[in-house]
Amino acid sequence: MKLAVLSGKGGTGKTTVSSNLAFITKSLLIDTDIEEPNSHIFLKPKNIKNFPVNTMYPEIDMERCILCGNCGDFCRFNAIIPSKKKVLVFEESCHDCGGCKIVCRAGAINYCKREIGEIFVGETYFNSPIKYGKLNIGEMSGVKIIKELYKTTPEKDFIIDCPPGTSCTTVASVEESDFAIIVTEPSPFGLSDMKLVIELLQDMKIPFGIVINKSIDGNTEVKNYCNKNSFEILGEIPFDKDIAKTYSKGEIICDTLPQYREIFENILKKIPEVINNEI
């Protein structure tokens, strides 16, 4: 099973959940939070190999260009803008779709290669595989890195540490998954951001469950919302100073605080029940 872990905003605890599930299952973990990957801090990979990820962008042959404007009309990302005397190309905005070359009547467009980031592959300190991508500073889209991460993954079962929010990189990350775990905090902001992620997953028809991180007694907004809408709460991670210390040291909870291992084991046990109820 491909299991995605995502959240409505950063800092909610999705890496905590994904790294602990990887520790328990010894499955491959793919960190697709390419703008700020941090799973490797906890999984401490060794024998790391890195590979560049390239994208293509258009180059205009102005001796052949007839300034018809078709390329600019086609590009919805404004990566290519014809003016009266030349065609401007903003390579960082190009999404490498290849459409401008197709609509060019003069055959004036060719493509150049540009590196946008890297993929890292290694082995965790508990001897399971880990992969993560990293987008170069200044680049606008890391979707190609995420697609390359999946393209080079033959495994059928893995855990995905997704980017936060509902951006195009989140969509690219979660669309490969069979099930999604939404990590949230028991606060009004957590609830608000969680609703956006739920809407995304429902649109993509991906079954999901909820994990409440930093759970405290008396804060019931998230629970009430889930119960009202019949959304399964897979587990609750308590608000605990020892957990916070473990996280700040870059350690995995199940490894250093084994008394909490059952929480993550129960999360995994509940997933088949949720999927069966969806069928």
Side-chain angles (χ1 to χ4, degrees):
M1 177 183 292
K2 300 174 180 65
L3 184 61
V5 182
L6 67 167
S7 62
K9 65 179 183 65
T12 304
K14 61 183 178 56
T15 299
T16 297
V17 173
S18 58
S19 60
N20 278 277
L21 294 182
F23 180 82
I24 291 175
T25 62
K26 303 295 185 285
S27 299
L28 164 66
L29 187 145
I30 303 178
D31 191 343
T32 60
D33 189 1
I34 41 89
E35 292 186 31
E36 197 171 2
N38 61 0
S39 294
H40 60 287
I41 296 172
F42 299 87
L43 273 59
K44 302 173 179 54
K46 53 193 177 185
N47 304 321
I48 298 174
K49 297 178 180 177
N50 60 309
F51 308 93
V53 178
N54 299 309
T55 191
M56 307 297 284
Y57 65 95
E59 183 182 58
I60 313 300
D61 182 351
M62 290 309 301
E63 291 187 1
R64 303 186 69 170
C65 179
I66 58 175
L67 291 171
C68 65
N70 284 352
C71 54
D73 292 340
F74 178 85
C75 184
R76 62 191 177 97
F77 300 107
N78 297 319
I80 184 165
I81 300 177
S83 65
K84 289 183 178 179
K85 295 183 178 179
K86 63 183 297 185
V87 178
L88 303 176
V89 175
F90 299 91
E91 57 188 76
E92 291 84 4
S93 299
C94 178
H95 282 53
D96 191 13
C97 71
C100 57
K101 185 172 183 176
I102 293 173
V103 301
C104 178
R105 290 184 291 163
I109 296 179
N110 290 305
Y111 284 91
C112 299
K113 187 167 68 175
R114 183 168 61 84
E115 184 177 320
I116 59 169
E118 290 180 281
I119 286 176
F120 299 84
V121 180
E123 187 178 329
T124 69
Y125 76 90
F126 47 86
N127 300 321
S128 65
I130 177 175
K131 299 176 73 174
Y132 62 98
K134 192 170 185 180
L135 184 68
N136 289 345
I137 294 173
E139 296 294 341
M140 295 182 69
S141 174
V143 169
K144 190 156 189 176
I145 296 176
I146 295 169
K147 290 186 178 298
E148 193 67 23
L149 279 165
Y150 291 140
K151 186 180 175 182
T152 56
T153 299
E155 288 90 341
K156 294 182 179 178
D157 302 313
F158 51 82
I159 296 164
I160 310 162
D161 190 348
C162 298
T166 55
S167 67
C168 55
T169 52
T170 304
V171 173
S173 298
V174 78
E175 68 181 356
E176 290 283 333
S177 66
D178 303 306
F179 188 87
I181 296 174
I182 303 174
V183 184
T184 188
E185 295 173 349
S187 67
F189 291 118
L191 176 59
S192 176
D193 292 329
M194 183 186 76
K195 289 178 180 177
L196 297 175
V197 176
I198 288 174
E199 188 175 336
L200 171 71
L201 294 172
Q202 289 177 325
D203 286 345
M204 298 178 74
K205 302 188 186 313
I206 296 173
F208 63 88
I210 316 294
V211 170
I212 302 174
N213 190 25
K214 302 175 187 174
S215 180
I216 54 176
D217 292 335
N219 200 328
T220 58
E221 286 181 282
V222 171
K223 289 183 183 177
N224 291 341
Y225 178 79
C226 290
N227 292 333
K228 182 180 178 183
N229 292 278
S230 301
F231 298 144
E232 184 72 28
I233 297 176
L234 301 171
E236 298 181 51
I237 303 169
F239 187 81
D240 185 302
K241 188 184 291 184
D242 289 337
I243 291 178
K245 287 180 179 177
T246 298
Y247 182 87
S248 66
K249 293 177 183 176
E251 298 174 344
I252 293 178
I253 298 170
C254 290
D255 195 12
T256 57
L257 300 172
Q259 66 269 33
Y260 290 119
R261 182 184 176 106
E262 188 176 1
I263 293 174
F264 298 96
E265 291 175 338
N266 286 335
I267 289 171
L268 292 171
K269 286 177 184 175
K270 284 187 177 180
I271 291 173
E273 297 174 14
V274 178
I275 293 175
N276 288 334
N277 290 335
E278 292 276 330
I279 297 174

